[in-house]
Structure formats: C-alpha cells, structure tokens
C-alpha cells in the first residue's frame, strides 16, 4: 500500500530507513533500475558543515555534482554504484532526470496542495521527494520538458507565471537521504513502492500542479 501524506507539514513525512548512503544508492539502482551518481558531501570545518567543493557560499552544500561531466558518471549498475560509494561513502546520491524518469518541480506549499487534490482524483502517482529548500519533485515518465509548455498553455496559464519546472535531460535531483548542509535531508513525501513502479505521464499531473501553483502565488 502506498504511503501518502495529509496536510502540509514536513514533519508528517515518514522517516527514512536507517541505511547508509552506499546501501541506499545500490538499492535505487538494483530495485528501481534508476541511474545514480555520487555528488559532493559535507565536511565539518570549525564545527560548521561545509560542502566538499570548498565554496563557502555553495548554494546546495553537499548535494551537487563534483564534475562537469557528471552525466557520464551515472550508472544503473548496482555493482558499479557500490564501487563508487565505497570510494567516498559520504557522497550525496544524485539521480539524473531524462532517463528512466523526469521530475516536475514545484514549491512545497503548491506540492502538498496538488498531492491532496491528486489523491482525491485517484490519479496514479509515482514517488515524490521533498527537499530542504522546500521544493517537491514529482517523478513522471521521461518527456515532461517537451510537453510542459503546450500543456500549461492549454490550461490558460503562462508558463512564466508559474513556479512549475520540468527537469529532464541534462538535469538531476538529489535523492533521500542526501543532506543539504545544515538545512536537513531530502525526504520521501511519497516513497517508492512496488505499487508505484509504473510512473504517470506528465500530462496527467500538470493540470493539478499548475492549478496549485496558481493558487499559491
């Protein structure tokens, strides 16, 4: 049975399993067949958590790629994933979009509003993450970026007026339990389960997400 969330408080999200980053990355590759790649990590400097990139002003400390060619690092092999995290066990877990899934990104307030509406509509939903910078990512089938502009336009909205972003090829999302500095960890608002292995098409979710973004402006 899917785990869902009622209301809009982050505290209601189920806690993550007590697994290491290595075990979790391997499980994503092995059980979900998601490509994964290791990102930066957090290091304690004078009692403060800093990003391993050494940029004191890093916008997402501990949760971004370590190199420009990160797309070539991504692997769907559990064996390769294990080898990569054995080299750096503290590395964040990043998932490239545009491969096995895209992600529709919205502010947390709009995301919870849309999630409640989708469940009332009994829409098929995939996994959903909540990030420490208060955004929600809804996993959908690849191709969302191409469909988004026309879909939103048909609903009567101007895409530029909505904080609704499709993450596809060339983008990535951070996966639980990756941490963003001292802001906390990425969590599942809706966990991956056998029941949501088959992802919805972006067009099924764009309408409720656009409506929620419009309401929360």
């Amino acid at each position: 049975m899917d785990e869902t969330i009622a209301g809009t408080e982050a505290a209601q999200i189920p806690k993550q399993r007590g697994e290491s980053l290595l075990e979790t990355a391997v499980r994503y590759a092995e059980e979900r067949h998601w490509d994964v790649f290791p990102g930066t990590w957090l290091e304690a400097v004078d009692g403060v958590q800093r990003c391993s990139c050494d940029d004191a002003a890093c916008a997402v400390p501990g949760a971004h790629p370590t190199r420009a060619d990160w797309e070539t690092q991504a692997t769907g092999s559990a064996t390769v994933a294990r080898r990569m995290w054995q080299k750096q066990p503290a590395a964040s877990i990043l998932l490239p979009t545009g491969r096995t899934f895209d992600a529709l990104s919205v502010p947390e307030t709009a995301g919870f509003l849309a999630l409640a509406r989708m469940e009332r509509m009994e829409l098929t939903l995939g996994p959903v993450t909540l990030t420490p910078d208060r955004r929600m990512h809804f996993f959908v089938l690849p191709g969302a970026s191409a469909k988004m502009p026309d879909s939103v336009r048909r609903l009567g909205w101007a895409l530029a007026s909505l904080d609704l972003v499709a993450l596809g090829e060339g983008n990535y999302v951070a996966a639980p339990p990756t941490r963003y500095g001292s802001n906390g960890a990425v969590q599942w608002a809706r966990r991956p389960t056998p029941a949501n292995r088959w992802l919805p098409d972006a067009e099924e979710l764009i309408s409720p997400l656009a409506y929620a973004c419009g309401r929360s402006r």
Side-chain angles (χ1 to χ4, degrees):
M1 187 169 136
D2 288 358
E3 295 189 47
T4 58
I5 305 211
T8 58
E9 296 299 321
Q12 295 173 307
I13 293 176
K15 292 183 179 179
Q16 313 307 314
R17 297 184 194 176
E19 294 180 331
S20 69
L21 288 160
L22 183 154
E23 291 170 330
T24 306
V26 168
R27 185 161 55 84
Y28 289 151
E30 197 167 54
E31 296 180 10
R32 299 299 293 198
H33 305 294
W34 289 340
D35 283 4
V36 299
F37 69 99
T40 53
W41 56 92
L42 296 172
E43 297 176 333
V45 179
D46 297 328
V48 178
Q49 294 290 332
R50 294 281 181 85
C51 186
S52 61
C53 72
D54 293 327
D55 181 358
C58 181
V60 281
H64 63 84
T66 59
R67 42 196 257 195
D69 65 342
W70 59 265
E71 290 181 81
T72 66
Q73 283 185 289
T75 179
S77 164
T79 300
V80 175
R82 182 177 298 280
R83 192 181 307 133
M84 289 194 293
W85 267 271
Q86 283 174 337
K87 290 180 181 177
Q88 181 44 259
S92 54
I93 303 173
L94 304 180
L95 311 175
T97 50
R99 299 189 183 190
T100 48
F101 65 88
D102 280 2
L104 299 178
S105 175
V106 296
E108 173 188 312
T109 303
F112 277 115
L113 178 64
L115 189 58
R117 189 176 186 211
M118 290 171 186
E119 289 174 349
R120 287 196 301 271
M121 297 166 67
E122 298 185 346
L123 292 180
T124 298
L125 292 171
V128 182
T129 63
L130 174 65
T131 65
D133 58 356
R134 305 183 77 83
R135 293 196 70 84
M136 292 177 74
H137 296 129
F138 290 72
F139 288 23
V140 295
L141 290 172
S145 298
K147 295 175 180 179
M148 177 82 84
D150 285 345
S151 296
V152 171
R153 195 178 303 114
R154 284 196 298 269
L155 293 169
W157 294 97
L159 186 56
S161 70
L162 300 177
D163 191 357
L164 171 58
V165 181
L167 301 175
E169 189 174 356
N171 292 298
Y172 63 88
V173 295
T178 294
R179 298 189 65 82
Y180 283 28
S182 59
N183 295 328
V186 182
Q187 300 183 66
W188 289 115
R190 192 178 181 90
R191 294 181 184 275
T193 69
N196 64 22
R197 183 175 295 277
W198 305 108
L199 300 176
D201 189 280
E203 290 183 314
E204 300 174 50
L205 306 192
I206 287 174
S207 177
L209 286 172
Y211 172 80
C213 286
R215 286 251 339 243
S216 62
R217 284 188 304 176

